PDB file of all heavy atoms in Angstrom:
ATOM      1  N   GLN Y 183      99.595  64.838 -10.286  1.00  0.00           N
ATOM      2  CA  GLN Y 183     100.724  63.915 -10.103  1.00  0.00           C
ATOM      3  C   GLN Y 183     100.889  62.989 -11.306  1.00  0.00           C
ATOM      4  O   GLN Y 183     101.536  61.955 -11.213  1.00  0.00           O
ATOM      5  CB  GLN Y 183     100.436  63.049  -8.881  1.00  0.00           C
ATOM      6  CG  GLN Y 183     100.237  63.826  -7.618  1.00  0.00           C
ATOM      7  CD  GLN Y 183     101.394  63.621  -6.686  1.00  0.00           C
ATOM      8  OE1 GLN Y 183     101.744  62.498  -6.365  1.00  0.00           O
ATOM      9  NE2 GLN Y 183     102.005  64.704  -6.263  1.00  0.00           N
ATOM     10  N   ARG Y 184     100.231  63.343 -12.379  1.00  0.00           N
ATOM     11  CA  ARG Y 184     100.232  62.421 -13.506  1.00  0.00           C
ATOM     12  C   ARG Y 184     100.785  63.061 -14.767  1.00  0.00           C
ATOM     13  O   ARG Y 184     100.706  64.278 -14.948  1.00  0.00           O
ATOM     14  CB  ARG Y 184      98.810  61.959 -13.779  1.00  0.00           C
ATOM     15  CG  ARG Y 184      98.246  61.226 -12.581  1.00  0.00           C
ATOM     16  CD  ARG Y 184      96.955  60.564 -12.921  1.00  0.00           C
ATOM     17  NE  ARG Y 184      96.913  59.254 -12.285  1.00  0.00           N
ATOM     18  CZ  ARG Y 184      96.150  58.262 -12.682  1.00  0.00           C
ATOM     19  NH1 ARG Y 184      95.378  58.392 -13.719  1.00  0.00           N
ATOM     20  NH2 ARG Y 184      96.174  57.119 -12.043  1.00  0.00           N
ATOM     21  N   ALA Y 185     101.336  62.194 -15.606  1.00  0.00           N
ATOM     22  CA  ALA Y 185     101.756  62.643 -16.929  1.00  0.00           C
ATOM     23  C   ALA Y 185     100.522  62.527 -17.806  1.00  0.00           C
ATOM     24  O   ALA Y 185      99.818  61.526 -17.750  1.00  0.00           O
ATOM     25  CB  ALA Y 185     102.840  61.721 -17.451  1.00  0.00           C
ATOM     26  N   ARG Y 186     100.271  63.567 -18.588  1.00  0.00           N
ATOM     27  CA  ARG Y 186      99.087  63.516 -19.457  1.00  0.00           C
ATOM     28  C   ARG Y 186      99.507  63.613 -20.917  1.00  0.00           C
ATOM     29  O   ARG Y 186     100.197  64.553 -21.319  1.00  0.00           O
ATOM     30  CB  ARG Y 186      98.139  64.656 -19.090  1.00  0.00           C
ATOM     31  CG  ARG Y 186      97.089  64.904 -20.145  1.00  0.00           C
ATOM     32  CD  ARG Y 186      95.914  65.681 -19.628  1.00  0.00           C
ATOM     33  NE  ARG Y 186      94.967  64.785 -18.959  1.00  0.00           N
ATOM     34  CZ  ARG Y 186      93.704  65.131 -18.677  1.00  0.00           C
ATOM     35  NH1 ARG Y 186      93.259  66.323 -18.982  1.00  0.00           N
ATOM     36  NH2 ARG Y 186      92.907  64.276 -18.077  1.00  0.00           N
ATOM     37  N   ILE Y 187      99.098  62.609 -21.693  1.00  0.00           N
ATOM     38  CA  ILE Y 187      99.325  62.662 -23.139  1.00  0.00           C
ATOM     39  C   ILE Y 187      97.952  62.910 -23.769  1.00  0.00           C
ATOM     40  O   ILE Y 187      96.998  62.193 -23.473  1.00  0.00           O
ATOM     41  CB  ILE Y 187      99.898  61.329 -23.680  1.00  0.00           C
ATOM     42  CG1 ILE Y 187     101.162  60.939 -22.907  1.00  0.00           C
ATOM     43  CG2 ILE Y 187     100.184  61.430 -25.170  1.00  0.00           C
ATOM     44  CD1 ILE Y 187     101.594  59.488 -23.109  1.00  0.00           C
ATOM     45  N   ALA Y 188      97.880  63.955 -24.591  1.00  0.00           N
ATOM     46  CA  ALA Y 188      96.598  64.282 -25.229  1.00  0.00           C
ATOM     47  C   ALA Y 188      96.743  64.195 -26.737  1.00  0.00           C
ATOM     48  O   ALA Y 188      97.707  64.695 -27.301  1.00  0.00           O
ATOM     49  CB  ALA Y 188      96.169  65.686 -24.812  1.00  0.00           C
ATOM     50  N   VAL Y 189      95.806  63.523 -27.374  1.00  0.00           N
ATOM     51  CA  VAL Y 189      95.799  63.438 -28.846  1.00  0.00           C
ATOM     52  C   VAL Y 189      94.494  64.075 -29.323  1.00  0.00           C
ATOM     53  O   VAL Y 189      93.409  63.584 -29.021  1.00  0.00           O
ATOM     54  CB  VAL Y 189      95.878  61.965 -29.324  1.00  0.00           C
ATOM     55  CG1 VAL Y 189      95.833  61.887 -30.849  1.00  0.00           C
ATOM     56  CG2 VAL Y 189      97.139  61.281 -28.793  1.00  0.00           C
ATOM     57  N   SER Y 190      94.620  65.213 -30.023  1.00  0.00           N
ATOM     58  CA  SER Y 190      93.421  65.974 -30.425  1.00  0.00           C
ATOM     59  C   SER Y 190      93.250  65.993 -31.928  1.00  0.00           C
ATOM     60  O   SER Y 190      94.231  66.066 -32.667  1.00  0.00           O
ATOM     61  CB  SER Y 190      93.544  67.431 -29.986  1.00  0.00           C
ATOM     62  OG  SER Y 190      93.852  67.494 -28.632  1.00  0.00           O
ATOM     63  N   ASP Y 191      91.996  65.961 -32.339  1.00  0.00           N
ATOM     64  CA  ASP Y 191      91.727  66.083 -33.780  1.00  0.00           C
ATOM     65  C   ASP Y 191      90.579  67.052 -34.030  1.00  0.00           C
ATOM     66  O   ASP Y 191      89.914  67.482 -33.096  1.00  0.00           O
ATOM     67  CB  ASP Y 191      91.425  64.700 -34.390  1.00  0.00           C
ATOM     68  CG  ASP Y 191      90.140  64.087 -33.851  1.00  0.00           C
ATOM     69  OD1 ASP Y 191      89.068  64.710 -33.979  1.00  0.00           O
ATOM     70  OD2 ASP Y 191      90.206  62.967 -33.300  1.00  0.00           O
ATOM     71  N   GLN Y 192      90.388  67.369 -35.312  1.00  0.00           N
ATOM     72  CA  GLN Y 192      89.282  68.262 -35.698  1.00  0.00           C
ATOM     73  C   GLN Y 192      88.241  67.469 -36.482  1.00  0.00           C
ATOM     74  O   GLN Y 192      87.649  67.956 -37.436  1.00  0.00           O
ATOM     75  CB  GLN Y 192      89.828  69.395 -36.571  1.00  0.00           C
ATOM     76  CG  GLN Y 192      90.853  70.254 -35.852  1.00  0.00           C
ATOM     77  CD  GLN Y 192      91.455  71.305 -36.758  1.00  0.00           C
ATOM     78  OE1 GLN Y 192      91.718  71.047 -37.927  1.00  0.00           O
ATOM     79  NE2 GLN Y 192      91.681  72.495 -36.223  1.00  0.00           N
ATOM     80  N   GLY Y 193      88.059  66.229 -36.072  1.00  0.00           N
ATOM     81  CA  GLY Y 193      87.124  65.338 -36.769  1.00  0.00           C
ATOM     82  C   GLY Y 193      85.674  65.602 -36.382  1.00  0.00           C
ATOM     83  O   GLY Y 193      85.357  66.630 -35.767  1.00  0.00           O
ATOM     84  N   PRO Y 194      84.793  64.648 -36.694  1.00  0.00           N
ATOM     85  CA  PRO Y 194      83.345  64.862 -36.504  1.00  0.00           C
ATOM     86  C   PRO Y 194      82.895  64.772 -35.048  1.00  0.00           C
ATOM     87  O   PRO Y 194      81.745  65.086 -34.734  1.00  0.00           O
ATOM     88  CB  PRO Y 194      82.723  63.716 -37.302  1.00  0.00           C
ATOM     89  CG  PRO Y 194      83.762  62.644 -37.289  1.00  0.00           C
ATOM     90  CD  PRO Y 194      85.085  63.348 -37.303  1.00  0.00           C
ATOM     91  N   GLY Y 195      83.786  64.358 -34.149  1.00  0.00           N
ATOM     92  CA  GLY Y 195      83.390  64.162 -32.753  1.00  0.00           C
ATOM     93  C   GLY Y 195      82.650  62.847 -32.615  1.00  0.00           C
ATOM     94  O   GLY Y 195      82.366  62.167 -33.612  1.00  0.00           O
ATOM     95  N   ILE Y 196      82.356  62.475 -31.378  1.00  0.00           N
ATOM     96  CA  ILE Y 196      81.691  61.191 -31.133  1.00  0.00           C
ATOM     97  C   ILE Y 196      80.269  61.478 -30.637  1.00  0.00           C
ATOM     98  O   ILE Y 196      80.083  62.199 -29.652  1.00  0.00           O
ATOM     99  CB  ILE Y 196      82.484  60.368 -30.090  1.00  0.00           C
ATOM    100  CG1 ILE Y 196      83.910  60.116 -30.636  1.00  0.00           C
ATOM    101  CG2 ILE Y 196      81.784  59.049 -29.768  1.00  0.00           C
ATOM    102  CD1 ILE Y 196      84.863  59.499 -29.653  1.00  0.00           C
ATOM    103  N   PRO Y 197      79.266  60.950 -31.333  1.00  0.00           N
ATOM    104  CA  PRO Y 197      77.880  61.228 -30.938  1.00  0.00           C
ATOM    105  C   PRO Y 197      77.591  60.776 -29.507  1.00  0.00           C
ATOM    106  O   PRO Y 197      78.156  59.787 -29.038  1.00  0.00           O
ATOM    107  CB  PRO Y 197      77.039  60.418 -31.935  1.00  0.00           C
ATOM    108  CG  PRO Y 197      77.976  59.917 -32.969  1.00  0.00           C
ATOM    109  CD  PRO Y 197      79.374  60.060 -32.466  1.00  0.00           C
ATOM    110  N   LYS Y 198      76.677  61.530 -28.854  1.00  0.00           N
ATOM    111  CA  LYS Y 198      76.372  61.292 -27.442  1.00  0.00           C
ATOM    112  C   LYS Y 198      75.987  59.843 -27.159  1.00  0.00           C
ATOM    113  O   LYS Y 198      76.493  59.229 -26.221  1.00  0.00           O
ATOM    114  CB  LYS Y 198      75.199  62.200 -27.056  1.00  0.00           C
ATOM    115  CG  LYS Y 198      75.367  62.825 -25.711  1.00  0.00           C
ATOM    116  CD  LYS Y 198      74.248  63.787 -25.439  1.00  0.00           C
ATOM    117  CE  LYS Y 198      74.609  64.583 -24.204  1.00  0.00           C
ATOM    118  NZ  LYS Y 198      73.811  65.782 -24.088  1.00  0.00           N
ATOM    119  N   THR Y 199      75.121  59.303 -27.968  1.00  0.00           N
ATOM    120  CA  THR Y 199      74.609  57.946 -27.719  1.00  0.00           C
ATOM    121  C   THR Y 199      75.706  56.902 -27.776  1.00  0.00           C
ATOM    122  O   THR Y 199      75.536  55.785 -27.310  1.00  0.00           O
ATOM    123  CB  THR Y 199      73.568  57.549 -28.793  1.00  0.00           C
ATOM    124  OG1 THR Y 199      74.130  57.866 -30.060  1.00  0.00           O
ATOM    125  CG2 THR Y 199      72.261  58.259 -28.590  1.00  0.00           C
ATOM    126  N   TYR Y 200      76.807  57.263 -28.373  1.00  0.00           N
ATOM    127  CA  TYR Y 200      77.847  56.284 -28.591  1.00  0.00           C
ATOM    128  C   TYR Y 200      78.971  56.378 -27.561  1.00  0.00           C
ATOM    129  O   TYR Y 200      79.797  55.480 -27.438  1.00  0.00           O
ATOM    130  CB  TYR Y 200      78.392  56.490 -30.019  1.00  0.00           C
ATOM    131  CG  TYR Y 200      79.380  55.446 -30.392  1.00  0.00           C
ATOM    132  CD1 TYR Y 200      78.972  54.148 -30.667  1.00  0.00           C
ATOM    133  CD2 TYR Y 200      80.734  55.743 -30.420  1.00  0.00           C
ATOM    134  CE1 TYR Y 200      79.884  53.175 -30.967  1.00  0.00           C
ATOM    135  CE2 TYR Y 200      81.660  54.777 -30.717  1.00  0.00           C
ATOM    136  CZ  TYR Y 200      81.229  53.485 -30.981  1.00  0.00           C
ATOM    137  OH  TYR Y 200      82.135  52.527 -31.260  1.00  0.00           O
ATOM    138  N   ARG Y 201      78.968  57.496 -26.790  1.00  0.00           N
ATOM    139  CA  ARG Y 201      80.149  57.770 -25.946  1.00  0.00           C
ATOM    140  C   ARG Y 201      80.467  56.684 -24.930  1.00  0.00           C
ATOM    141  O   ARG Y 201      81.623  56.443 -24.618  1.00  0.00           O
ATOM    142  CB  ARG Y 201      79.994  59.124 -25.253  1.00  0.00           C
ATOM    143  CG  ARG Y 201      80.160  60.225 -26.278  1.00  0.00           C
ATOM    144  CD  ARG Y 201      79.949  61.596 -25.738  1.00  0.00           C
ATOM    145  NE  ARG Y 201      79.711  62.487 -26.874  1.00  0.00           N
ATOM    146  CZ  ARG Y 201      79.172  63.681 -26.798  1.00  0.00           C
ATOM    147  NH1 ARG Y 201      78.805  64.158 -25.621  1.00  0.00           N
ATOM    148  NH2 ARG Y 201      78.991  64.403 -27.877  1.00  0.00           N
ATOM    149  N   GLU Y 202      79.420  56.060 -24.409  1.00  0.00           N
ATOM    150  CA  GLU Y 202      79.683  55.022 -23.392  1.00  0.00           C
ATOM    151  C   GLU Y 202      80.222  53.740 -24.004  1.00  0.00           C
ATOM    152  O   GLU Y 202      80.645  52.846 -23.296  1.00  0.00           O
ATOM    153  CB  GLU Y 202      78.388  54.709 -22.642  1.00  0.00           C
ATOM    154  CG  GLU Y 202      78.049  55.804 -21.678  1.00  0.00           C
ATOM    155  CD  GLU Y 202      76.981  55.399 -20.693  1.00  0.00           C
ATOM    156  OE1 GLU Y 202      76.446  54.283 -20.806  1.00  0.00           O
ATOM    157  OE2 GLU Y 202      76.702  56.219 -19.815  1.00  0.00           O
ATOM    158  N   LEU Y 203      80.157  53.643 -25.310  1.00  0.00           N
ATOM    159  CA  LEU Y 203      80.501  52.365 -25.957  1.00  0.00           C
ATOM    160  C   LEU Y 203      81.867  52.346 -26.618  1.00  0.00           C
ATOM    161  O   LEU Y 203      82.332  51.298 -27.037  1.00  0.00           O
ATOM    162  CB  LEU Y 203      79.456  52.045 -27.044  1.00  0.00           C
ATOM    163  CG  LEU Y 203      78.025  51.855 -26.565  1.00  0.00           C
ATOM    164  CD1 LEU Y 203      77.084  51.707 -27.761  1.00  0.00           C
ATOM    165  CD2 LEU Y 203      77.930  50.611 -25.686  1.00  0.00           C
ATOM    166  N   VAL Y 204      82.521  53.521 -26.714  1.00  0.00           N
ATOM    167  CA  VAL Y 204      83.742  53.570 -27.538  1.00  0.00           C
ATOM    168  C   VAL Y 204      84.822  52.574 -27.127  1.00  0.00           C
ATOM    169  O   VAL Y 204      85.568  52.103 -27.969  1.00  0.00           O
ATOM    170  CB  VAL Y 204      84.393  54.972 -27.621  1.00  0.00           C
ATOM    171  CG1 VAL Y 204      83.634  55.884 -28.529  1.00  0.00           C
ATOM    172  CG2 VAL Y 204      84.634  55.563 -26.277  1.00  0.00           C
ATOM    173  N   PHE Y 205      84.892  52.261 -25.839  1.00  0.00           N
ATOM    174  CA  PHE Y 205      85.961  51.358 -25.406  1.00  0.00           C
ATOM    175  C   PHE Y 205      85.537  49.883 -25.460  1.00  0.00           C
ATOM    176  O   PHE Y 205      86.304  48.997 -25.104  1.00  0.00           O
ATOM    177  CB  PHE Y 205      86.427  51.707 -23.991  1.00  0.00           C
ATOM    178  CG  PHE Y 205      87.085  53.059 -23.916  1.00  0.00           C
ATOM    179  CD1 PHE Y 205      86.471  54.117 -23.260  1.00  0.00           C
ATOM    180  CD2 PHE Y 205      88.317  53.280 -24.522  1.00  0.00           C
ATOM    181  CE1 PHE Y 205      87.068  55.366 -23.202  1.00  0.00           C
ATOM    182  CE2 PHE Y 205      88.924  54.527 -24.476  1.00  0.00           C
ATOM    183  CZ  PHE Y 205      88.299  55.574 -23.817  1.00  0.00           C
ATOM    184  N   GLU Y 206      84.287  49.653 -25.876  1.00  0.00           N
ATOM    185  CA  GLU Y 206      83.808  48.261 -25.970  1.00  0.00           C
ATOM    186  C   GLU Y 206      84.359  47.616 -27.234  1.00  0.00           C
ATOM    187  O   GLU Y 206      84.530  48.280 -28.259  1.00  0.00           O
ATOM    188  CB  GLU Y 206      82.269  48.235 -26.040  1.00  0.00           C
ATOM    189  CG  GLU Y 206      81.579  48.809 -24.830  1.00  0.00           C
ATOM    190  CD  GLU Y 206      81.708  47.932 -23.599  1.00  0.00           C
ATOM    191  OE1 GLU Y 206      81.665  46.698 -23.762  1.00  0.00           O
ATOM    192  OE2 GLU Y 206      81.870  48.478 -22.496  1.00  0.00           O
TER     193      GLU Y 206
END
Side-chain angles (χ1 to χ4, degrees):
Q183 301 250 306
R184 299 190 140 202
R186 165 161 277 196
I187 306 165
V189 178
S190 308
D191 65 58
Q192 299 176 321
I196 300 172
K198 221 175 191 163
T199 48
Y200 185 73
R201 288 177 198 162
E202 285 194 356
L203 298 173
V204 285
F205 294 111
E206 298 289 323

